[in-house]
Amino acid sequence: MRGGGLLVAGTTSDAGKSVVTAGICRWLVRKGLKVAPFKGQNMSLNSFVTREGAEIGRAQAMQAQAARVEPTALMNPVLLKPGSDRSSQVVLMGKPVGELSARGFFGGPGGSSPGKALHGGRQQELFEPVLACLEELRSTYDAVICEGAGSPAEINLRRTDIVNMGIARAARLPVVVVGDIDRGGVFAQFFGTTALLAPEDQELIAGYLVNKFRGDVTLLEPGLDMLQGLTGRRTFGVLPYAHGLGIDEEDGLRVSLRGAVRESVVAPPVGEDVLRVAVCAVPLMSNFTDVDALAAEPGVVVRFVDRAEELVDADLVVVPGTRGTVKALAWLRERGLADALARRAAEGRPVLGICGGFQVLGEHIEDEVESRAGAVDGLGLLPVRVRFAREKTLARPVGSALGERVEGYEIHHGVADVRGGEPFLDGCRVGSVWGTHWHGSLESDGFRRAFLREVAAAAGQRFVPAPDTSFGTLREEQLDRLGDLIEEHADTDALLRLIEEGAPPGLPFVPPGAP
């Protein structure tokens, strides 16, 4: 039996597609349905490793958690990881298959061949594999809630679209368009999005969902009525502006859980002092969600920095992951941050490098894969030499550090040869400088508390970690809040009919249509 489906599209990027999709998944699973998320093609530097060793977008992993299912590569068959403004690594079914220019991926000439998997690298040639993944999920689950990308009205990309109306039309999915009213112009966005689509696409646009509304909803209702008069389509709900509901979206710094927790946790520090954490905002920063677990702790203040003077009052500096290790290294040197990190290390002040940040802290990098820069000197703060391998390491390691159990995940081409220091996960520690390839390690509550005690001692701060902070519990509370938003502020009966029956027949055409 084929399960129902729905595509959550947006008027723009960051309109709220990811969180609305997660909220619908959580609402449905609380109703007793077996639900799966799906995004045919994702562009993000925030990724996750599934239990079978596949790399997918973190947003889809978060949505799978909302649906209370294990994430798999089927839920995000194509992941694009930008390496510059013009090229991305293509990850197909969880495995990297090569680098492509934007022109090469979207159909024009250019881009290096990623091998047989892409048959020349054209996006449209991924359409059948993407559709097959969706159909496999629909054969297994009661409902599949799909997330679009950007806007479905990108008229220059519609011919090769595999994530918005292309997949909706092929799978006959009803579409709800989400708009962020907090930015202004949402009525024009809803109308324009619909009016720029071909008649065959418009047949599937069932209606709209307003996101991030502040104030008295009765003041908005006349506009919603006029919008329905203009388009023949209803609005399925008005979701209020709620602080801290952006969880593991794509690449916007302001949407990660750290902001949510800082806004929602009001408990004072347990000790006398706070801990200030500065995260170096390196180019092509990836998996910056690693620091969310630090921000979940009462009394820990996390900020992103790009100037050397901003490290002066930090108790801990984190050099995060990056898709461009050599580029990040040059950036740190250009801005004086490399010298500031060296001074910190000499003074015994804490520094943590994660993945690409760990590689940067080493002595030497040999890179003929990512940047093709060849031999490059690292910062020399850890006795590590890194060689970039063509095969990407994708793993879900479990180990121990500081006397506590730790779980994490690895996503890297760099292979570290650790030549000294104290063992620290798969990396090492020298004094108050730590380095590891493990993303997500700070989500292990016992280890995080032990690490923060070490940091506080080295920084000379009277900070005490809260004994009962559970990052997993906080994440579940966030997902339940998303489900509550849908249940309380959307027409769930109408949404359920869409999922089960598809778009209503007879939706009117809104001119002019696609050019």
Side-chain angles (χ1 to χ4, degrees):
M1 180 178 175
R2 190 175 189 234
L6 176 71
L7 176 69
V8 179
T11 57
T12 62
S13 294
D14 200 25
K17 298 183 293 291
S18 294
V19 293
V20 167
T21 299
I24 293 174
C25 286
R26 180 50 60 102
W27 157 62
L28 288 172
V29 78
R30 293 194 309 207
K31 285 181 63 67
L33 276 68
K34 188 179 179 185
V35 190
F38 177 80
K39 185 165 185 173
Q41 173 194 303
N42 200 350
M43 179 175 280
S44 179
L45 288 173
N46 284 336
S47 58
F48 182 76
V49 179
T50 67
R51 294 207 178 276
E52 68 267 28
E55 184 180 7
I56 66 171
R58 272 196 70 100
Q60 279 61 65
M62 175 270 292
Q63 291 160 357
Q65 186 176 350
R68 296 177 180 149
V69 296
E70 190 67 31
T72 73
L74 291 172
M75 297 171 183
N76 180 207
V78 180
L79 173 63
L80 306 179
K81 301 192 73 175
S84 71
D85 290 341
R86 296 194 175 191
S87 68
S88 294
Q89 183 180 69
V90 181
V91 179
L92 177 62
M93 292 304 295
K95 303 296 180 184
V97 293
E99 295 276 339
L100 273 182
S101 69
R103 182 179 294 274
F105 183 76
F106 287 109
S112 57
S113 172
K116 296 179 181 178
L118 293 183
H119 304 293
R122 302 302 175 90
Q123 183 191 33
Q124 61 265 38
E125 297 194 25
L126 293 173
F127 183 77
E128 290 303 325
V130 166
L131 184 59
C133 289
L134 174 58
E135 292 304 316
E136 185 171 342
L137 289 174
R138 292 184 75 179
S139 70
T140 307
Y141 291 87
D142 299 324
V144 178
I145 308 304
C146 307
E147 179 187 346
S151 162
E154 307 287 1
I155 54 179
N156 56 317
L157 302 177
R158 175 63 185 89
R159 181 178 60 84
T160 58
D161 171 50
I162 65 172
V163 66
N164 289 306
M165 300 312 300
I167 199 77
R169 197 193 295 187
R172 302 308 298 170
L173 293 172
V175 180
V176 172
V177 181
V178 178
D180 180 355
I181 197 171
D182 195 51
R183 296 181 172 189
V186 75
F187 291 114
Q189 292 168 18
F190 284 145
F191 181 87
T193 297
T194 309
L196 280 175
L197 297 176
E200 296 84 357
D201 289 343
Q202 288 195 25
E203 288 175 2
L204 298 171
I205 302 293
Y208 315 107
L209 194 62
V210 176
N211 192 28
K212 298 183 184 178
F213 178 73
R214 306 173 193 249
D216 184 350
V217 73
T218 60
L219 299 177
L220 187 66
E221 287 171 353
L224 300 179
D225 291 340
M226 285 186 274
L227 179 67
Q228 184 165 4
L230 288 166
T231 67
R233 289 157 175 86
R234 57 165 302 182
T235 298
F236 289 94
V238 177
L239 307 184
Y241 192 103
H243 291 285
L245 287 181
I247 306 176
D248 288 6
E249 290 193 276
E250 292 174 359
D251 283 320
L253 284 180
R254 66 186 182 85
V255 300
S256 77
L257 181 60
R258 65 179 175 280
V261 174
R262 297 312 304 160
E263 292 166 355
S264 59
V265 174
V266 295
V270 175
E272 297 180 43
D273 294 332
V274 299
L275 275 186
R276 294 175 176 84
V277 179
V279 184
C280 297
V282 296
L284 299 173
M285 182 164 44
S286 59
N287 288 66
F288 55 77
T289 48
D290 283 330
V291 299
D292 288 351
L294 293 178
E297 290 285 349
V300 175
V301 180
V302 177
R303 69 183 189 274
F304 285 77
V305 304
D306 60 4
R307 296 181 299 176
E309 55 267 31
E310 294 177 291
L311 305 190
V312 173
D313 67 345
D315 301 305
L316 169 67
V317 174
V318 177
V319 187
T322 171
R323 173 86 164 87
T325 299
V326 171
K327 182 180 290 188
L329 187 56
W331 181 87
L332 290 168
R333 287 179 167 134
E334 289 164 4
R335 291 178 169 261
L337 288 160
D339 290 339
L341 290 168
R343 286 193 297 271
R344 288 186 66 89
E347 295 165 0
R349 302 178 66 199
V351 176
L352 170 64
I354 301 174
C355 199
F358 167 41
Q359 297 165 7
V360 160
L361 299 181
E363 298 170 344
H364 184 79
I365 296 169
E366 192 74 32
D367 181 11
E368 300 291 351
V369 175
E370 189 177 77
S371 67
R372 298 181 176 86
V376 179
D377 288 333
L379 298 186
L381 306 186
L382 291 174
V384 176
R385 299 178 74 83
V386 176
R387 176 186 56 82
F388 274 68
R390 296 201 176 276
E391 188 75 18
K392 181 185 280 191
T393 297
L394 296 169
R396 290 277 293 269
V398 177
S400 63
L402 305 179
E404 299 287 346
R405 185 177 187 275
V406 188
E407 295 184 29
Y409 57 99
E410 296 183 67
I411 306 169
H412 54 92
H413 283 279
V415 179
D417 177 12
V418 179
R419 300 186 172 191
E422 300 174 41
F424 178 69
L425 302 177
D426 72 331
C428 65
R429 170 187 182 177
V430 174
S432 292
V433 180
W434 293 265
T436 177
H437 273 133
W438 291 21
H439 294 291
S441 60
L442 293 166
E443 296 180 20
S444 297
D445 296 327
F447 166 70
R448 182 180 65 253
R449 287 191 276 269
F451 177 72
L452 289 175
R453 283 192 290 268
E454 292 261 348
V455 168
Q461 297 287 17
R462 293 167 295 183
F463 169 85
V464 178
D468 55 355
T469 301
S470 168
F471 186 79
T473 298
L474 287 169
R475 171 55 53 86
E476 279 297 305
E477 290 173 356
Q478 293 269 311
L479 295 172
D480 274 331
R481 289 181 66 199
L482 293 179
D484 292 344
L485 273 184
I486 298 298
E487 193 166 336
E488 295 169 10
H489 299 282
D491 186 339
T492 53
D493 289 341
L495 286 177
L496 194 57
R497 282 195 300 273
L498 280 182
I499 293 167
E500 293 176 343
E501 301 173 11
L507 291 169
F509 172 70
V510 179

